[in-house]
Short mmCIF file of all heavy atoms in Angstrom, two decimals:
data_model
loop_
_atom_site.label_atom_id
_atom_site.label_comp_id
_atom_site.label_asym_id
_atom_site.label_seq_id
_atom_site.Cartn_x
_atom_site.Cartn_y
_atom_site.Cartn_z
N LYS A 112 91.66 90.41 64.24
CA LYS A 112 90.51 91.25 63.70
C LYS A 112 89.51 91.57 64.80
O LYS A 112 88.47 92.04 64.43
CB LYS A 112 89.87 90.34 62.68
CG LYS A 112 90.84 89.96 61.54
CD LYS A 112 91.31 91.06 60.61
CE LYS A 112 92.14 90.59 59.47
NZ LYS A 112 92.81 91.65 58.74
N ARG A 113 89.85 91.38 65.97
CA ARG A 113 88.80 91.64 67.16
C ARG A 113 88.53 93.10 67.40
O ARG A 113 87.47 93.48 67.70
CB ARG A 113 89.18 90.94 68.34
CG ARG A 113 89.06 89.37 68.28
CD ARG A 113 89.21 88.76 69.66
NE ARG A 113 89.00 87.33 69.50
CZ ARG A 113 89.99 86.52 69.32
NH1 ARG A 113 91.28 86.79 69.14
NH2 ARG A 113 89.60 85.19 69.16
N PHE A 114 89.57 93.95 67.10
CA PHE A 114 89.43 95.31 67.49
C PHE A 114 90.01 96.16 66.29
O PHE A 114 90.80 95.63 65.60
CB PHE A 114 90.04 95.74 68.72
CG PHE A 114 89.55 94.92 70.00
CD1 PHE A 114 90.10 93.79 70.42
CD2 PHE A 114 88.41 95.35 70.70
CE1 PHE A 114 89.68 93.07 71.42
CE2 PHE A 114 87.90 94.75 71.67
CZ PHE A 114 88.54 93.60 72.08
N ARG A 115 89.71 97.52 66.21
CA ARG A 115 90.25 98.31 65.20
C ARG A 115 91.82 98.60 65.59
O ARG A 115 92.27 98.46 66.69
CB ARG A 115 89.72 99.54 65.01
CG ARG A 115 89.70 100.57 66.08
CD ARG A 115 88.85 101.80 65.78
NE ARG A 115 88.84 102.59 67.08
CZ ARG A 115 87.69 102.70 67.72
NH1 ARG A 115 86.51 102.24 67.36
NH2 ARG A 115 87.74 103.44 68.81
N GLU A 116 92.60 98.90 64.54
CA GLU A 116 93.98 99.24 64.74
C GLU A 116 94.12 100.61 65.16
O GLU A 116 93.14 101.43 64.94
CB GLU A 116 94.68 98.89 63.55
CG GLU A 116 94.79 97.49 63.26
CD GLU A 116 95.62 97.17 61.84
OE1 GLU A 116 95.97 98.03 61.05
OE2 GLU A 116 95.80 96.02 61.61
N PRO A 117 95.18 101.15 65.69
CA PRO A 117 95.27 102.62 66.21
C PRO A 117 95.06 103.49 64.90
O PRO A 117 95.34 103.07 63.75
CB PRO A 117 96.77 102.65 66.57
CG PRO A 117 97.06 101.30 66.99
CD PRO A 117 96.35 100.33 66.21
N ALA A 118 94.55 104.56 65.05
CA ALA A 118 94.24 105.58 64.03
C ALA A 118 95.35 105.77 63.14
O ALA A 118 95.04 106.01 61.92
CB ALA A 118 93.62 106.85 64.55
N HIS A 119 96.59 105.93 63.64
CA HIS A 119 97.80 106.39 62.92
C HIS A 119 98.84 105.28 63.06
O HIS A 119 98.88 104.78 64.12
CB HIS A 119 98.23 107.66 63.28
CG HIS A 119 97.28 108.83 63.14
ND1 HIS A 119 96.83 109.27 61.94
CD2 HIS A 119 96.48 109.43 64.03
CE1 HIS A 119 95.90 110.15 62.04
NE2 HIS A 119 95.73 110.34 63.37
N SER A 120 99.67 105.07 62.00
CA SER A 120 100.73 104.16 62.27
C SER A 120 101.64 104.39 63.32
O SER A 120 102.27 103.44 63.89
CB SER A 120 101.36 103.89 60.93
OG SER A 120 102.06 105.10 60.52
N SER A 121 101.76 105.72 63.69
CA SER A 121 102.62 106.02 64.90
C SER A 121 101.89 106.04 66.26
O SER A 121 102.56 106.19 67.25
CB SER A 121 103.27 107.51 64.59
OG SER A 121 102.11 108.49 64.51
N SER A 122 100.61 105.84 66.11
CA SER A 122 99.90 105.82 67.42
C SER A 122 100.17 104.53 68.12
O SER A 122 100.29 103.40 67.55
CB SER A 122 98.41 105.90 67.30
OG SER A 122 98.07 107.11 66.63
N ASN A 123 100.20 104.61 69.49
CA ASN A 123 100.49 103.28 70.35
C ASN A 123 99.18 102.62 70.53
O ASN A 123 98.15 103.31 70.63
CB ASN A 123 101.08 103.79 71.64
CG ASN A 123 101.86 102.72 72.26
OD1 ASN A 123 102.33 101.81 71.49
ND2 ASN A 123 102.05 102.64 73.54
N GLY A 124 99.27 101.35 70.46
CA GLY A 124 98.19 100.49 70.82
C GLY A 124 98.59 99.27 71.64
O GLY A 124 99.72 99.21 72.12
N TYR A 125 97.73 98.37 71.80
CA TYR A 125 98.09 97.12 72.72
C TYR A 125 98.40 95.97 71.66
O TYR A 125 97.91 95.90 70.51
CB TYR A 125 96.91 96.71 73.40
CG TYR A 125 96.36 97.54 74.47
CD1 TYR A 125 94.97 97.75 74.77
CD2 TYR A 125 97.32 98.19 75.43
CE1 TYR A 125 94.67 98.59 75.73
CE2 TYR A 125 96.90 99.01 76.49
CZ TYR A 125 95.50 99.12 76.61
OH TYR A 125 95.06 100.04 77.69
N ARG A 126 99.48 95.27 71.90
CA ARG A 126 99.85 94.10 71.13
C ARG A 126 98.91 93.19 70.83
O ARG A 126 98.13 92.64 71.77
CB ARG A 126 101.09 93.48 71.71
CG ARG A 126 101.67 92.33 70.86
CD ARG A 126 103.13 91.95 71.25
NE ARG A 126 104.01 93.03 71.02
CZ ARG A 126 104.63 93.49 69.94
NH1 ARG A 126 104.21 92.95 68.78
NH2 ARG A 126 105.35 94.55 69.85
N LYS A 127 98.59 92.88 69.52
CA LYS A 127 97.34 92.15 69.11
C LYS A 127 97.41 90.62 69.79
O LYS A 127 96.52 90.36 70.13
CB LYS A 127 97.34 91.94 67.64
CG LYS A 127 96.78 93.25 67.01
CD LYS A 127 96.61 93.06 65.53
CE LYS A 127 96.10 94.19 64.74
NZ LYS A 127 95.99 93.98 63.36
N GLU A 128 98.60 90.11 69.69
CA GLU A 128 98.69 88.71 70.23
C GLU A 128 98.34 88.48 71.64
O GLU A 128 97.69 87.59 72.12
CB GLU A 128 100.31 88.17 70.03
CG GLU A 128 100.60 88.00 68.60
CD GLU A 128 101.13 89.37 67.99
OE1 GLU A 128 101.32 90.34 68.83
OE2 GLU A 128 101.36 89.49 66.77
N GLN A 129 98.74 89.61 72.45
CA GLN A 129 98.38 89.46 73.77
C GLN A 129 96.94 89.73 74.17
O GLN A 129 96.42 89.03 74.99
CB GLN A 129 99.22 90.48 74.66
CG GLN A 129 100.66 90.28 74.63
CD GLN A 129 101.56 91.36 75.25
OE1 GLN A 129 101.13 92.52 75.42
NE2 GLN A 129 102.81 91.09 75.52
N VAL A 130 96.29 90.55 73.41
CA VAL A 130 94.82 90.88 73.53
C VAL A 130 94.14 89.67 73.13
O VAL A 130 93.12 89.15 73.79
CB VAL A 130 94.43 92.12 72.79
CG1 VAL A 130 92.90 92.35 72.87
CG2 VAL A 130 95.20 93.38 73.37
N ASP A 131 94.49 89.13 71.90
CA ASP A 131 93.80 87.84 71.40
C ASP A 131 93.85 86.82 72.35
O ASP A 131 92.92 85.93 72.56
CB ASP A 131 94.43 87.50 70.00
CG ASP A 131 93.92 88.51 68.99
OD1 ASP A 131 92.99 89.10 69.04
OD2 ASP A 131 94.80 88.57 67.94
N GLU A 132 94.99 86.57 73.13
CA GLU A 132 95.23 85.50 74.02
C GLU A 132 94.21 85.78 75.20
O GLU A 132 93.50 84.72 75.54
CB GLU A 132 96.62 85.39 74.52
CG GLU A 132 96.78 84.49 75.68
CD GLU A 132 96.38 82.95 75.37
OE1 GLU A 132 96.48 82.52 74.25
OE2 GLU A 132 95.93 82.28 76.27
N LEU A 133 94.05 86.82 75.69
CA LEU A 133 93.12 87.26 76.75
C LEU A 133 91.64 86.83 76.14
O LEU A 133 90.89 86.44 76.94
CB LEU A 133 93.26 88.66 77.25
CG LEU A 133 92.19 89.05 78.32
CD1 LEU A 133 92.34 88.24 79.53
CD2 LEU A 133 92.36 90.54 78.54
N CYS A 134 91.39 87.31 75.10
CA CYS A 134 90.09 87.15 74.42
C CYS A 134 89.68 85.71 74.41
O CYS A 134 88.57 85.31 74.65
CB CYS A 134 89.97 87.74 73.07
SG CYS A 134 89.88 89.68 73.19
N ARG A 135 90.67 84.82 74.01
CA ARG A 135 90.42 83.41 74.01
C ARG A 135 90.18 82.89 75.43
O ARG A 135 89.21 82.07 75.68
CB ARG A 135 91.60 82.54 73.43
CG ARG A 135 91.71 82.83 71.90
CD ARG A 135 92.85 81.82 71.33
NE ARG A 135 94.01 82.11 71.73
CZ ARG A 135 94.89 83.08 71.11
NH1 ARG A 135 94.43 83.93 70.10
NH2 ARG A 135 96.08 83.45 71.54
N GLN A 136 90.83 83.35 76.46
CA GLN A 136 90.52 82.97 77.71
C GLN A 136 89.21 83.70 78.21
O GLN A 136 88.45 82.76 78.96
CB GLN A 136 91.59 83.60 78.72
CG GLN A 136 92.98 82.92 78.49
CD GLN A 136 94.12 83.71 79.30
OE1 GLN A 136 93.76 84.53 80.16
NE2 GLN A 136 95.40 83.46 79.05
N LEU A 137 88.80 84.65 77.81
CA LEU A 137 87.43 85.20 78.25
C LEU A 137 86.31 84.45 77.48
O LEU A 137 85.30 84.21 78.20
CB LEU A 137 87.42 86.72 77.88
CG LEU A 137 88.29 87.67 78.64
CD1 LEU A 137 88.34 89.05 78.14
CD2 LEU A 137 87.95 87.64 80.21
N GLU A 138 86.52 84.06 76.22
CA GLU A 138 85.60 83.22 75.68
C GLU A 138 85.31 81.93 76.46
O GLU A 138 84.27 81.38 76.75
CB GLU A 138 86.12 83.00 74.30
CG GLU A 138 84.90 82.39 73.45
CD GLU A 138 85.26 82.26 72.00
OE1 GLU A 138 86.51 82.23 71.52
OE2 GLU A 138 84.26 82.33 71.15
N GLN A 139 86.39 81.40 76.90
CA GLN A 139 86.42 80.08 77.81
C GLN A 139 85.65 80.44 79.03
O GLN A 139 84.91 79.60 79.65
CB GLN A 139 87.83 79.53 77.96
CG GLN A 139 88.40 79.03 76.71
CD GLN A 139 89.82 78.57 76.92
OE1 GLN A 139 90.49 78.99 77.95
NE2 GLN A 139 90.37 77.73 76.11
N TYR A 140 85.94 81.66 79.67
CA TYR A 140 85.30 81.96 80.92
C TYR A 140 83.80 81.97 80.66
O TYR A 140 83.02 81.46 81.46
CB TYR A 140 85.86 83.39 81.35
CG TYR A 140 84.97 83.87 82.42
CD1 TYR A 140 85.15 83.59 83.81
CD2 TYR A 140 83.98 84.88 82.19
CE1 TYR A 140 84.40 84.04 84.76
CE2 TYR A 140 83.24 85.43 83.15
CZ TYR A 140 83.41 84.99 84.52
OH TYR A 140 82.65 85.57 85.52
N LEU A 141 83.39 82.70 79.60
CA LEU A 141 81.92 82.76 79.34
C LEU A 141 81.31 81.46 79.02
O LEU A 141 80.13 81.15 79.35
CB LEU A 141 81.63 83.80 78.23
CG LEU A 141 81.88 85.34 78.47
CD1 LEU A 141 81.69 86.11 77.26
CD2 LEU A 141 80.97 85.75 79.53
N ASP A 142 82.02 80.52 78.51
CA ASP A 142 81.51 79.07 78.34
C ASP A 142 81.69 78.30 79.50
O ASP A 142 81.32 77.03 79.52
CB ASP A 142 82.27 78.42 77.22
CG ASP A 142 82.05 79.11 75.79
OD1 ASP A 142 81.13 79.75 75.67
OD2 ASP A 142 82.96 78.89 74.93
N GLY A 143 82.08 78.81 80.74
CA GLY A 143 82.20 78.07 81.97
C GLY A 143 83.44 77.17 81.92
O GLY A 143 83.53 76.22 82.78
N GLU A 144 84.41 77.28 81.15
CA GLU A 144 85.61 76.50 80.99
C GLU A 144 86.87 76.93 81.55
O GLU A 144 87.86 76.39 81.64
CB GLU A 144 85.77 76.11 79.55
CG GLU A 144 84.63 75.42 78.84
CD GLU A 144 84.85 75.42 77.30
OE1 GLU A 144 85.87 75.83 76.85
OE2 GLU A 144 83.95 74.83 76.67
N ASN A 145 86.76 78.32 82.13
CA ASN A 145 88.05 78.88 82.58
C ASN A 145 87.61 79.86 83.84
O ASN A 145 86.96 80.90 83.70
CB ASN A 145 88.53 79.83 81.49
CG ASN A 145 89.95 80.53 81.91
OD1 ASN A 145 90.38 80.26 83.07
ND2 ASN A 145 90.48 81.29 81.03
N PRO A 146 88.00 79.39 85.00
CA PRO A 146 87.46 80.06 86.21
C PRO A 146 88.29 81.38 86.53
O PRO A 146 89.12 81.32 87.46
CB PRO A 146 87.78 78.93 87.27
CG PRO A 146 88.79 78.13 86.81
CD PRO A 146 88.71 78.19 85.26
N MET A 147 88.34 82.27 85.61
CA MET A 147 89.00 83.63 85.90
C MET A 147 88.43 84.45 86.82
O MET A 147 87.29 84.34 87.06
CB MET A 147 89.14 84.33 84.43
CG MET A 147 89.91 83.67 83.38
SD MET A 147 89.90 84.82 81.98
CE MET A 147 91.09 86.00 82.37
N SER A 148 89.33 85.20 87.47
CA SER A 148 88.69 86.24 88.43
C SER A 148 88.64 87.63 87.84
O SER A 148 89.43 87.89 86.73
CB SER A 148 89.53 86.27 89.70
OG SER A 148 90.72 87.02 89.46
N VAL A 149 87.72 88.52 88.27
CA VAL A 149 87.55 89.76 87.59
C VAL A 149 88.82 90.60 87.92
O VAL A 149 89.29 91.37 87.03
CB VAL A 149 86.34 90.48 88.27
CG1 VAL A 149 86.56 90.72 89.76
CG2 VAL A 149 86.08 91.86 87.65
N ASP A 150 89.64 90.30 89.01
CA ASP A 150 90.78 91.02 89.16
C ASP A 150 92.00 90.63 88.25
O ASP A 150 92.87 91.47 87.90
CB ASP A 150 91.37 90.73 90.69
CG ASP A 150 90.47 91.49 91.67
OD1 ASP A 150 90.00 92.58 91.32
OD2 ASP A 150 90.32 90.91 92.78
N GLU A 151 91.88 89.46 87.63
CA GLU A 151 92.88 89.06 86.51
C GLU A 151 92.65 90.10 85.36
O GLU A 151 93.62 90.30 84.75
CB GLU A 151 92.67 87.62 86.12
CG GLU A 151 93.20 86.61 87.16
CD GLU A 151 92.81 85.16 86.61
OE1 GLU A 151 93.63 84.81 85.71
OE2 GLU A 151 91.87 84.53 87.12
N VAL A 152 91.48 90.32 85.04
CA VAL A 152 91.11 91.11 83.83
C VAL A 152 91.44 92.67 84.17
O VAL A 152 91.95 93.40 83.40
CB VAL A 152 89.61 91.00 83.48
CG1 VAL A 152 89.37 91.88 82.27
CG2 VAL A 152 89.46 89.53 83.12
N ARG A 153 91.04 93.06 85.45
CA ARG A 153 91.25 94.45 85.93
C ARG A 153 92.73 94.82 85.88
O ARG A 153 93.15 96.02 85.60
CB ARG A 153 90.81 94.69 87.25
CG ARG A 153 89.40 94.83 87.50
CD ARG A 153 88.87 95.13 88.84
NE ARG A 153 87.48 95.22 88.96
CZ ARG A 153 86.80 94.60 90.02
NH1 ARG A 153 87.36 94.02 90.91
NH2 ARG A 153 85.51 95.02 90.09
#
Side-chain angles (χ1 to χ4, degrees):
K112 304 291 184 190
R113 287 190 175 96
F114 302 94
R115 69 177 169 253
E116 294 177 353
H119 303 286
S120 61
S121 62
S122 297
N123 204 26
Y125 295 139
R126 182 160 301 283
K127 285 183 178 181
E128 296 85 9
Q129 293 173 343
V130 175
D131 286 335
E132 174 58 29
L133 176 63
C134 286
R135 287 189 294 277
Q136 293 172 12
L137 291 172
E138 189 169 30
Q139 291 172 341
Y140 168 83
L141 290 174
D142 291 340
E144 300 168 4
N145 183 4
M147 294 180 75
S148 76
V149 66
D150 287 329
E151 288 178 77
V152 178
R153 284 181 178 141

